[in-house]
């Protein structure tokens, strides 16, 4: 009864009720049961195993794929992998953790150094194998380039935005970061000027979230879509005889293909929504920046209003 993670054990509460242990009637036994439960969790290391299983946004996305698209575990690992490639990978590419178009530099993100940079040029790497492992297996992005170098790759980058982002990364996590002990922190502007969250140190953008949501929804719809049914009614040739009704079930496309197609379409639609959201936020921010300051308002004469 005391085994299982502290935060999830479906047998614990029913076990207490079956034993007649409640907080009101048997407070001592009730407290003792929870102390024993916590001790059992520490011994079996269940809660920490759960944390390590979900200690990265990509692991969370994979868990979401399993629960949303295949909660009954009917798909095989290869089918789920192909569907995940279509439904999840576009979202990963939109996080900014790597640049899928920067093939010559092994996917180095725009405005960032390599994880293992050379001393002469931080955009080049000394160890390509290590670079690929850290970027695509460990999910590391490297540190931002120096301002002048970063501005060459991001022409719209300003010194103020660069300073704010560096402060966000390494000094001030903000109220959300402080509340979550740095596990999750949010900034209104990353180097490109778009909102960004850091979840366990990994970048997460609005287009990435919307692409993931669309991909999972599309994949679920594709996997669960049944074959088409055509009903044909053949009139009777003789009076008093009932018409003949025939139902023909169309050929069912394999679940792996339906799920992959639905995931790809949903992910693309979600990505468009996310990009448009970023543009709307940027436009709203630019409009606010164009408003006169309080001092400028005070300097406007009554005759000019």
């Amino acid at each position: 009864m005391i085994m299982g993670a502290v935060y999830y054990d479906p047998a614990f509460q029913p076990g207490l009720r079956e034993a007649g242990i409640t907080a009101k009637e048997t407070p001592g036994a009730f407290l003792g049961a929870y102390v024993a439960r916590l001790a059992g969790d520490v011994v079996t290391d269940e809660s920490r195993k759960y944390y390590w299983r979900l200690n990265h946004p990509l692991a969370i996305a994979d868990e979401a794929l399993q629960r949303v698209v295949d909660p009954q575990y009917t798909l095989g690992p290869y089918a789920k992998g192909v569907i995940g490639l279509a439904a999840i990978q576009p979202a990963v590419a939109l996080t900014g953790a790597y640049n899928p178009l920067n093939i010559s530099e092994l996917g180095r993100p725009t405005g960032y150094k390599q994880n293992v940079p050379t001393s002469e040029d931080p955009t080049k790497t000394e160890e390509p194998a290590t670079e690929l492992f850290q970027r695509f297996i460990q999910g590391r992005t490297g540190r931002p380039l120096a301002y002048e170098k970063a501005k060459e790759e991001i022409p719209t980058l300003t010194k103020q935005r660069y300073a704010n982002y560096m402060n966000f990364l390494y000094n001030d996590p903000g109220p959300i970061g402080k509340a979550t002990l740095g596990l999750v922190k949010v900034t209104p502007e990353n180097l490109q000027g778009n909102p960004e969250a850091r979840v366990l140190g990994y970048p997460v953008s609005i287009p990435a979230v919307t692409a993931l949501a669309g991909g999972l929804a599309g994949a679920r719809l594709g996997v669960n879509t049944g074959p088409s049914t055509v009903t044909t009614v053949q009139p009777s040739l003789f009076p008093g005889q009932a018409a003949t009704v025939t139902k023909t079930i169309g050929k069912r496309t394999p679940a792996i293909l339906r799920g992959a197609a639905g995931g790809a379409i949903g992910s693309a639609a979600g990505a468009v929504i996310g990009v448009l959201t970023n543009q709307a936020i940027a436009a709203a921010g630019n409009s606010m920046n164009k408003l006169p300051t309080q001092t400028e308002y005070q300097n406007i004469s009554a005759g000019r209003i």
Side-chain angles (χ1 to χ4, degrees), residues 21-66:
I21 298 175
T22 65
K24 182 177 181 180
E25 297 178 359
T26 55
F30 185 82
L31 179 61
Y34 271 92
V35 171
R37 174 172 162 76
L38 178 61
D41 182 88
V42 172
V43 171
T44 58
D45 209 18
E46 288 297 326
S47 289
R48 196 171 67 156
K49 289 176 184 175
Y50 187 79
Y51 166 77
W52 282 113
R53 187 160 59 93
L54 298 175
N55 72 339
H56 194 282
L58 299 187
I60 296 173
D62 188 63
E63 183 72 13
L65 175 71
Q66 181 68 66

Side-chain angles (χ1 to χ4, degrees), residues 198-275:
R198 287 271 170 165
V199 180
L200 298 164
Y202 193 81
V204 177
S205 66
I206 292 176
V209 173
T210 54
L212 176 62
L216 293 178
R220 178 185 176 89
L221 181 63
V223 168
N224 293 333
T225 298
S228 60
T229 302
V230 178
T231 302
T232 304
V233 179
Q234 182 66 38
S236 173
L237 298 177
F238 304 98
Q241 184 177 5
T244 303
V245 179
T246 304
K247 291 185 178 181
T248 304
I249 300 178
K251 185 177 180 180
R252 186 177 178 88
T253 306
I256 182 174
L257 297 181
R258 300 195 312 271
I265 295 171
S267 183
V272 171
I273 293 173
V275 170

